[in-house]
């Protein structure tokens, strides 16, 4: 009888282990089903401006500097506001999908369009009057005038952000964002080809480079809208509704909380870069796929599943971070030569390799907590945390380290 009891306990332990493995594998499948298209979309969307900047360098050094100035100061600040406010849709759509209130997802997206469009209108004057603003900040007349021309071209691209962010979050919440990944990759390739033709072959200059970026970006949006309106989201899209203009204050409050939370993070690098304390700024693209899992499960009232999803994503992100931590730590002396041929710059990067490695490791964890906060609707708390961490502690520590290291 005792042997039978031991065997039963062993079998029970094996079954629990197999069950845990199965749950982890299932969670990983869901994670990468959400995360990979989102990562691809973010990389390709960011790649549109990178490719445009590269072709700007083929036009003139002044145009390249003007583009970089507008992108660093105006576009990044505006992007932080719109992306931050759009993140409220992750919370709303994720929880609605989990609670099987499918029709509300389309309404939430339309409300987000209204709120973000109004926000966009407030941001437009900064781009229209970019030249005098930049002169006030101490830029030269020539550079400010050229940046003012380029800033006008950025206005339709700024409007593109509204639909790019919201459609991705709407589709991601219902695990249908694979279409976004494919469209983003396709338009990125198209942008490279169009830029080469318009700038290098036709010599259209700034209109060619900026026109290619705008056209490529909006073609991806048209494809996504066709997907949504064409019947591929029958449960969640019921057509345009007047409900989009009701209960907007609740959306505004959540959007502002989300905007402040993310803006404080995205603006931090811009502040340091503009202040001149950093020679270069690394852009960290955090994948917020965890917020979908958290909001879905909380919408279903399943807190245990949400906790399990957090654990799986945390371990996955930490494992990826450890790999890059080891790579940067071991290759700190040579990795900079992929970006520069300057021995002096390479030496500075080598001196910073330890700090860079630690930063990469910590940044592999931090987006997970951001995603948890967005999925649970805790944006206001995170906004206060970001103020203290980034601007009270971070900037002070950055100033101290810059004096020590440079």
């Amino acid at each position: 009888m005792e042997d039978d009891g031991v065997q039963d306990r062993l079998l029970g332990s094996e079954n629990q282990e197999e069950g845990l493995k199965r749950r982890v594998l299932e969670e990983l499948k869901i994670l990468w089903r959400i995360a990979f298209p989102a990562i691809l979309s973010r990389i390709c969307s960011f790649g549109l401006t990178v490719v445009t900047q590269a072709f700007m360098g083929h036009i003139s050094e002044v145009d390249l500097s003007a583009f970089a100035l507008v992108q660093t100061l105006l576009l990044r600040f505006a992007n932080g506001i719109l992306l931050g406010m759009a993140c409220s849709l992750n919370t709303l759509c994720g929880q609605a999908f989990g609670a099987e209130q499918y029709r509300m997802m389309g309404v939430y997206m339309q409300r987000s369009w209204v709120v973000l469009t109004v926000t966009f209108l407030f941001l437009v004057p900064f781009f229209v009057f970019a030249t005098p603003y930049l002169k006030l900040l101490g830029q030269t007349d020539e550079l400010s005038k050229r940046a003012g021309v380029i800033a006008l071209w950025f206005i339709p691209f700024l409007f593109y952000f509204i639909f790019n962010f919201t459609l991705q979050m709407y589709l991601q919440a219902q695990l249908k964002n694979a279409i976004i990944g494919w469209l983003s990759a396709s338009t990125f390739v198209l942008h490279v080809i169009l830029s080469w033709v318009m700038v290098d072959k036709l010599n259209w200059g700034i209109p060619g480079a900026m026109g290619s970026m705008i056209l490529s970006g909006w073609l991806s949006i048209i494809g996504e809208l066709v997907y949504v309106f064409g019947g591929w989201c029958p449960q969640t899209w019921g057509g345009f509704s007047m409900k989009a203009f009701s209960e907007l204050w609740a959306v505004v409050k959540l959007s502002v909380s989300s905007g402040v939370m993310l803006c404080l993070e995205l603006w931090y690098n811009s502040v340091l870069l503009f202040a001149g304390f950093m020679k270069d700024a690394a852009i960290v693209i955090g994948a917020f796929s965890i917020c979908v899992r958290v909001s879905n499960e909380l919408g279903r009232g399943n807190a245990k599943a949400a906790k399990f999803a957090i654990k799986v994503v945390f371990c996955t992100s930490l494992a990826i971070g450890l790999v890059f931590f080891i790579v940067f730590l071991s290759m700190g002396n040579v990795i900079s030569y992929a970006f520069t041929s300057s021995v002096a710059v390479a030496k500075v990067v080598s001196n910073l390799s330890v700090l860079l490695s630690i930063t990469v490791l910590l940044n592999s964890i931090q987006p997970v907590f951001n995603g948890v906060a967005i999925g649970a609707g805790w944006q206001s708390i995170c906004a206060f945390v970001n103020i203290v961490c980034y601007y009270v502690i971070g900037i002070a520590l950055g100033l101290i380290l810059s004096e020590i290291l440079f």
Side-chain angles (χ1 to χ4, degrees):
M1 296 293 293
E2 291 182 2
D3 291 341
D4 291 341
V6 171
Q7 288 179 354
D8 289 341
R9 285 195 294 272
L10 289 173
L11 288 172
S13 178
E14 290 177 0
N15 289 334
Q16 287 181 354
E17 186 177 342
E18 288 296 323
L20 179 61
K21 288 180 180 178
R22 185 166 55 253
R23 289 179 63 195
V24 170
L25 289 175
E26 289 174 356
E27 193 64 43
L28 285 172
K29 288 179 181 178
I30 296 174
L31 166 65
W32 286 108
R33 182 180 173 187
I34 298 170
F36 182 74
I39 292 170
L40 185 61
S41 174
R42 293 287 177 88
I43 291 174
C44 291
S45 180
F46 176 64
L48 292 181
T49 57
V50 172
V51 170
T52 304
Q53 185 170 2
F55 278 94
M56 279 290 182
H58 292 202
I59 301 172
S60 73
E61 290 184 3
V62 175
D63 290 323
L64 176 61
S65 299
F67 181 92
L69 187 63
V70 175
Q71 182 189 13
T72 302
L73 297 183
L74 296 180
L75 186 66
R76 186 177 295 181
F77 274 69
N79 174 68
I81 293 171
L82 294 176
L83 175 58
M85 295 184 71
C87 279
S88 64
L89 196 61
N90 266 328
T91 305
L92 297 171
C93 282
Q95 293 186 4
F97 187 78
E100 298 183 359
Q101 297 176 352
Y102 300 123
R103 284 292 187 224
M104 285 305 299
M105 294 178 66
V107 174
Y108 286 143
M109 182 168 65
Q110 291 174 60
R111 287 175 182 170
S112 188
W113 286 345
V114 173
V115 172
L116 291 179
T117 299
V118 173
T119 305
F120 160 79
L121 294 176
F122 280 103
L123 293 172
V124 167
F126 291 98
F127 288 79
V128 174
F129 301 104
T131 297
Y133 290 150
L134 293 173
K135 286 182 180 179
L136 286 174
L137 293 174
Q139 302 299 325
T140 64
D141 288 347
E142 182 185 10
L143 187 59
S144 297
K145 289 178 181 178
R146 198 66 62 89
V149 173
I150 293 175
L152 294 176
W153 282 95
F154 266 116
I155 293 175
F157 192 70
L158 190 66
F159 193 53
Y160 145 86
F161 280 152
I162 296 175
F163 296 94
N164 181 47
F165 297 149
T166 53
L167 284 166
Q168 178 177 325
M169 294 169 188
Y170 164 78
L171 292 169
Q172 182 174 278
Q174 49 191 311
L175 306 182
K176 289 186 176 181
N177 61 332
I179 183 66
I180 295 180
W182 286 110
L183 286 172
S184 298
S186 301
T187 52
F188 175 76
V189 174
L190 176 64
H191 177 47
V192 174
I193 297 171
L194 285 177
S195 297
W196 175 69
V197 172
M198 292 182 176
V199 177
D200 284 359
K201 297 301 179 183
L202 299 178
N203 294 318
W204 285 359
I206 292 176
M210 298 301 295
S212 173
M213 184 179 71
I214 295 167
L215 179 61
S216 300
W218 273 100
L219 281 176
S220 68
I221 296 301
I222 292 171
E224 292 164 16
L225 290 174
V226 168
Y227 182 83
V228 174
F229 298 163
W232 282 275
C233 299
Q235 286 184 302
T236 58
W237 179 259
F240 292 98
S241 171
M242 290 302 297
K243 289 183 180 181
F245 299 95
S246 64
E247 301 180 20
L248 285 176
W249 181 239
V251 179
V252 170
K253 289 193 294 183
L254 186 59
S255 296
V256 170
S257 298
S258 298
V260 171
M261 170 188 163
L262 198 60
C263 283
L264 291 171
E265 180 179 342
L266 292 179
W267 290 355
Y268 179 68
N269 286 335
S270 292
V271 170
L272 291 179
L273 181 65
F274 182 64
F277 296 121
M278 294 176 64
K279 302 299 181 186
D280 192 10
I283 298 175
V284 181
I285 302 176
F288 287 102
S289 59
I290 180 61
C291 69
V292 177
R293 295 293 297 131
V294 173
S295 56
N296 281 174
E297 297 301 342
L298 289 179
R300 295 188 183 100
N302 193 347
K304 288 184 178 180
K307 291 179 180 178
F308 184 75
I310 294 169
K311 292 176 182 177
V312 172
V313 176
F314 180 87
C315 292
T316 303
S317 187
L318 181 60
I320 295 172
L322 283 170
V323 171
F324 284 102
F325 170 79
I326 294 170
V327 169
F328 285 117
L329 197 61
S330 61
M331 300 182 64
N333 294 326
V334 298
I335 199 168
S336 58
Y337 287 107
F339 304 93
T340 180
S341 57
S342 171
V343 177
V345 173
K347 184 178 180 180
V348 173
V349 174
S350 177
N351 293 336
L352 294 173
S353 61
V354 175
L355 288 176
L356 175 63
S357 302
I358 296 172
T359 302
V360 168
L361 180 61
L362 293 177
N363 281 343
S364 69
I365 301 171
Q366 186 260 353
V368 176
F369 295 123
N370 270 357
V372 172
I374 293 172
W378 298 338
Q379 288 93 330
S380 297
I381 297 174
C382 280
F384 288 110
V385 172
N386 283 349
I387 289 174
V388 175
C389 292
Y390 284 110
Y391 292 87
V392 178
I393 299 174
I395 291 180
L397 187 60
L399 291 173
I400 294 170
L401 290 175
S402 67
E403 291 295 327
I404 295 173
L405 295 173
F406 297 104

